[in-house]
mmCIF file with all atom_site columns, all heavy atoms in Angstrom:
data_model
loop_
_atom_site.group_PDB
_atom_site.id
_atom_site.type_symbol
_atom_site.label_atom_id
_atom_site.label_alt_id
_atom_site.label_comp_id
_atom_site.label_asym_id
_atom_site.label_entity_id
_atom_site.label_seq_id
_atom_site.pdbx_PDB_ins_code
_atom_site.Cartn_x
_atom_site.Cartn_y
_atom_site.Cartn_z
_atom_site.occupancy
_atom_site.B_iso_or_equiv
_atom_site.pdbx_formal_charge
_atom_site.auth_seq_id
_atom_site.auth_comp_id
_atom_site.auth_asym_id
_atom_site.auth_atom_id
_atom_site.pdbx_PDB_model_num
ATOM 1  N N   . HIS J 1 287 ? -26.357 -4.399  2.538  1.00 0.00 ? 307 HIS J N   1
ATOM 2  C CA  . HIS J 1 287 ? -27.266 -5.546  2.501  1.00 0.00 ? 307 HIS J CA  1
ATOM 3  C C   . HIS J 1 287 ? -27.723 -5.860  1.079  1.00 0.00 ? 307 HIS J C   1
ATOM 4  O O   . HIS J 1 287 ? -28.282 -4.988  0.415  1.00 0.00 ? 307 HIS J O   1
ATOM 5  C CB  . HIS J 1 287 ? -28.541 -5.255  3.303  1.00 0.00 ? 307 HIS J CB  1
ATOM 6  C CG  . HIS J 1 287 ? -28.320 -5.097  4.772  1.00 0.00 ? 307 HIS J CG  1
ATOM 7  N ND1 . HIS J 1 287 ? -27.813 -3.966  5.339  1.00 0.00 ? 307 HIS J ND1 1
ATOM 8  C CD2 . HIS J 1 287 ? -28.566 -5.941  5.794  1.00 0.00 ? 307 HIS J CD2 1
ATOM 9  C CE1 . HIS J 1 287 ? -27.750 -4.110  6.648  1.00 0.00 ? 307 HIS J CE1 1
ATOM 10 N NE2 . HIS J 1 287 ? -28.201 -5.296  6.959  1.00 0.00 ? 307 HIS J NE2 1
ATOM 11 N N   . PRO J 1 288 ? -27.562 -7.102  0.661  1.00 0.00 ? 308 PRO J N   1
ATOM 12 C CA  . PRO J 1 288 ? -28.268 -7.514  -0.553 1.00 0.00 ? 308 PRO J CA  1
ATOM 13 C C   . PRO J 1 288 ? -29.767 -7.483  -0.242 1.00 0.00 ? 308 PRO J C   1
ATOM 14 O O   . PRO J 1 288 ? -30.169 -7.670  0.907  1.00 0.00 ? 308 PRO J O   1
ATOM 15 C CB  . PRO J 1 288 ? -27.812 -8.949  -0.792 1.00 0.00 ? 308 PRO J CB  1
ATOM 16 C CG  . PRO J 1 288 ? -26.743 -9.224  0.207  1.00 0.00 ? 308 PRO J CG  1
ATOM 17 C CD  . PRO J 1 288 ? -26.819 -8.200  1.276  1.00 0.00 ? 308 PRO J CD  1
ATOM 18 N N   . LEU J 1 312 ? -33.930 -7.862  3.590  1.00 0.00 ? 332 LEU J N   1
ATOM 19 C CA  . LEU J 1 312 ? -32.503 -7.532  3.613  1.00 0.00 ? 332 LEU J CA  1
ATOM 20 C C   . LEU J 1 312 ? -31.742 -8.673  4.274  1.00 0.00 ? 332 LEU J C   1
ATOM 21 O O   . LEU J 1 312 ? -32.128 -9.130  5.352  1.00 0.00 ? 332 LEU J O   1
ATOM 22 C CB  . LEU J 1 312 ? -32.269 -6.242  4.403  1.00 0.00 ? 332 LEU J CB  1
ATOM 23 C CG  . LEU J 1 312 ? -32.987 -4.999  3.883  1.00 0.00 ? 332 LEU J CG  1
ATOM 24 C CD1 . LEU J 1 312 ? -32.839 -3.852  4.892  1.00 0.00 ? 332 LEU J CD1 1
ATOM 25 C CD2 . LEU J 1 312 ? -32.412 -4.578  2.535  1.00 0.00 ? 332 LEU J CD2 1
ATOM 26 N N   . ASP J 1 313 ? -30.662 -9.108  3.617  1.00 0.00 ? 333 ASP J N   1
ATOM 27 C CA  . ASP J 1 313 ? -29.833 -10.161 4.202  1.00 0.00 ? 333 ASP J CA  1
ATOM 28 C C   . ASP J 1 313 ? -28.828 -9.525  5.145  1.00 0.00 ? 333 ASP J C   1
ATOM 29 O O   . ASP J 1 313 ? -27.876 -8.879  4.710  1.00 0.00 ? 333 ASP J O   1
ATOM 30 C CB  . ASP J 1 313 ? -29.116 -10.934 3.087  1.00 0.00 ? 333 ASP J CB  1
ATOM 31 C CG  . ASP J 1 313 ? -28.282 -12.086 3.643  1.00 0.00 ? 333 ASP J CG  1
ATOM 32 O OD1 . ASP J 1 313 ? -28.266 -12.276 4.880  1.00 0.00 ? 333 ASP J OD1 1
ATOM 33 O OD2 . ASP J 1 313 ? -27.656 -12.791 2.826  1.00 0.00 ? 333 ASP J OD2 1
ATOM 34 N N   . GLY J 1 314 ? -29.053 -9.712  6.444  1.00 0.00 ? 334 GLY J N   1
ATOM 35 C CA  . GLY J 1 314 ? -28.163 -9.113  7.434  1.00 0.00 ? 334 GLY J CA  1
ATOM 36 C C   . GLY J 1 314 ? -26.892 -9.916  7.654  1.00 0.00 ? 334 GLY J C   1
ATOM 37 O O   . GLY J 1 314 ? -25.987 -9.459  8.336  1.00 0.00 ? 334 GLY J O   1
ATOM 38 N N   . GLY J 1 315 ? -26.839 -11.127 7.121  1.00 0.00 ? 335 GLY J N   1
ATOM 39 C CA  . GLY J 1 315 ? -25.666 -11.960 7.379  1.00 0.00 ? 335 GLY J CA  1
ATOM 40 C C   . GLY J 1 315 ? -25.681 -12.476 8.806  1.00 0.00 ? 335 GLY J C   1
ATOM 41 O O   . GLY J 1 315 ? -26.727 -12.568 9.450  1.00 0.00 ? 335 GLY J O   1
ATOM 42 N N   . THR J 1 350 ? -28.366 -14.781 8.356  1.00 0.00 ? 370 THR J N   1
ATOM 43 C CA  . THR J 1 350 ? -27.962 -15.944 7.562  1.00 0.00 ? 370 THR J CA  1
ATOM 44 C C   . THR J 1 350 ? -26.501 -16.227 7.900  1.00 0.00 ? 370 THR J C   1
ATOM 45 O O   . THR J 1 350 ? -25.902 -15.504 8.709  1.00 0.00 ? 370 THR J O   1
ATOM 46 C CB  . THR J 1 350 ? -28.047 -15.673 6.046  1.00 0.00 ? 370 THR J CB  1
ATOM 47 O OG1 . THR J 1 350 ? -27.131 -14.613 5.733  1.00 0.00 ? 370 THR J OG1 1
ATOM 48 C CG2 . THR J 1 350 ? -29.454 -15.290 5.599  1.00 0.00 ? 370 THR J CG2 1
ATOM 49 N N   . ASN J 1 352 ? -24.230 -15.718 5.799  1.00 0.00 ? 372 ASN J N   1
ATOM 50 C CA  . ASN J 1 352 ? -23.477 -14.914 4.834  1.00 0.00 ? 372 ASN J CA  1
ATOM 51 C C   . ASN J 1 352 ? -22.695 -13.837 5.583  1.00 0.00 ? 372 ASN J C   1
ATOM 52 O O   . ASN J 1 352 ? -22.910 -13.623 6.773  1.00 0.00 ? 372 ASN J O   1
ATOM 53 C CB  . ASN J 1 352 ? -24.449 -14.296 3.827  1.00 0.00 ? 372 ASN J CB  1
ATOM 54 C CG  . ASN J 1 352 ? -25.029 -15.349 2.899  1.00 0.00 ? 372 ASN J CG  1
ATOM 55 O OD1 . ASN J 1 352 ? -24.339 -16.289 2.523  1.00 0.00 ? 372 ASN J OD1 1
ATOM 56 N ND2 . ASN J 1 352 ? -26.294 -15.206 2.549  1.00 0.00 ? 372 ASN J ND2 1
ATOM 57 N N   . CYS J 1 355 ? -23.835 -7.784  7.181  1.00 0.00 ? 375 CYS J N   1
ATOM 58 C CA  . CYS J 1 355 ? -24.067 -6.544  6.452  1.00 0.00 ? 375 CYS J CA  1
ATOM 59 C C   . CYS J 1 355 ? -24.521 -5.475  7.417  1.00 0.00 ? 375 CYS J C   1
ATOM 60 O O   . CYS J 1 355 ? -25.135 -5.750  8.438  1.00 0.00 ? 375 CYS J O   1
ATOM 61 C CB  . CYS J 1 355 ? -25.093 -6.762  5.355  1.00 0.00 ? 375 CYS J CB  1
ATOM 62 S SG  . CYS J 1 355 ? -24.409 -7.792  4.030  1.00 0.00 ? 375 CYS J SG  1
#
Side-chain angles (χ1 to χ4, degrees):
Chain J
H307 294 78
L332 301 171
D333 182 0
T370 62
N372 290 324
C375 290

